[in-house]
Amino acid sequence: MSTTALSRKPVYLAVYDTLADWETGHATAHLARAGYEIRTVGPSTRPVTSIGGLRIQPDTALADVRPEDGALLILPGADLWDTSDDLAPFARTAGEFLAAGTPVAAICGATAGLARAGLLDDRAHTSAVSFYLAATGYAGGDRYVDTDSVTDGDLITAGPTEPVAFAREILRLLGVYDGEVLDAWYRLFHDSDAEAYAVLDKAGAL
């Protein structure tokens, strides 16, 4: 691993019961391949269980995470975002990250959590559908964008059916890929475009 990779701050991946397994795999896999350490963050260090039944032992507890120590906070969707207030502390931490200038990426139900916390009121964003966020009673409906994934400054949002677009925006924001290579990466993993493989192979991005 290069010195540059070793000097990078870790990426924090929030993990909690009922988290949606499929939403962050593209992002974390390719960030790890690019040299980022992925550190899982739970409500505590007790194991959690994903919606797919995967048992995950968090590396650290949310209370011990500081924005200045990380490169990015990723918030996956989970049933708990809509069925309880258990994950509200993760939304509050996202607010602290954004205030400190450390990026946050939220997908699916996590976007609703950010909406309830007021973090989408003044930022362009997306989610599953506009009326899903409208049900939170937030004030940012006029900033909703009906597209696959949105980046507004240090905040990335996406809906549950767009894990590849979500990863694309994360890879772009952290400078892992850009331009033709990023476009080819998206076409390969989203569209199964065989021609994109050659572009990535030539760039050493596989």
Side-chain angles (χ1 to χ4, degrees):
M1 186 178 293
S2 68
T3 302
T4 300
L6 288 171
S7 66
R8 286 175 173 159
K9 294 180 179 180
V11 168
Y12 292 120
L13 172 65
V15 295
Y16 20 70
D17 287 332
T18 74
L19 78 89
D21 314 72
W22 66 91
E23 293 175 344
T24 60
H26 286 89
T28 55
H30 289 272
L31 287 171
R33 290 181 68 124
Y36 283 93
E37 177 191 5
I38 309 299
R39 292 188 58 79
T40 53
V41 180
S44 69
T45 55
R46 295 178 60 183
V48 299
T49 304
S50 76
I51 200 169
L54 299 180
R55 187 174 172 85
I56 302 167
Q57 177 74 56
D59 294 314
T60 191
L62 183 64
D64 297 325
V65 170
R66 300 185 305 172
E68 59 269 29
D69 294 336
L72 172 73
L73 172 65
I74 301 177
L75 299 175
D79 291 345
L80 286 179
W81 283 112
D82 296 319
T83 60
S84 75
D85 293 327
D86 289 358
L87 301 186
F90 285 90
R92 288 195 292 271
T93 297
E96 294 168 3
F97 269 62
L98 292 170
T102 303
V104 172
I107 186 169
C108 188
T111 62
L114 298 192
R116 294 186 188 97
L119 297 175
L120 303 185
D121 290 351
D122 300 312
R123 295 178 173 91
H125 59 275
T126 194
S127 184
V129 288
S130 60
F131 56 79
Y132 168 64
L133 290 187
T136 68
Y138 82 131
D142 60 342
R143 302 301 304 275
Y144 187 90
V145 183
D146 189 10
T147 190
D148 56 8
S149 187
V150 171
T151 299
D152 186 338
D154 290 325
L155 177 65
I156 295 169
T157 52
T161 61
E162 298 293 346
V164 181
F166 184 60
R168 177 196 65 207
E169 295 305 297
I170 289 172
L171 298 175
R172 187 203 312 274
L173 186 65
L174 293 185
V176 175
Y177 305 133
D178 58 18
E180 181 186 28
V181 174
L182 182 64
D183 177 67
W185 182 90
Y186 179 76
R187 288 188 288 113
L188 178 63
F189 289 98
H190 187 267
D191 304 323
S192 299
D193 185 343
E195 293 183 2
Y197 184 92
V199 176
L200 296 174
D201 187 46
K202 182 178 179 180
L206 289 174

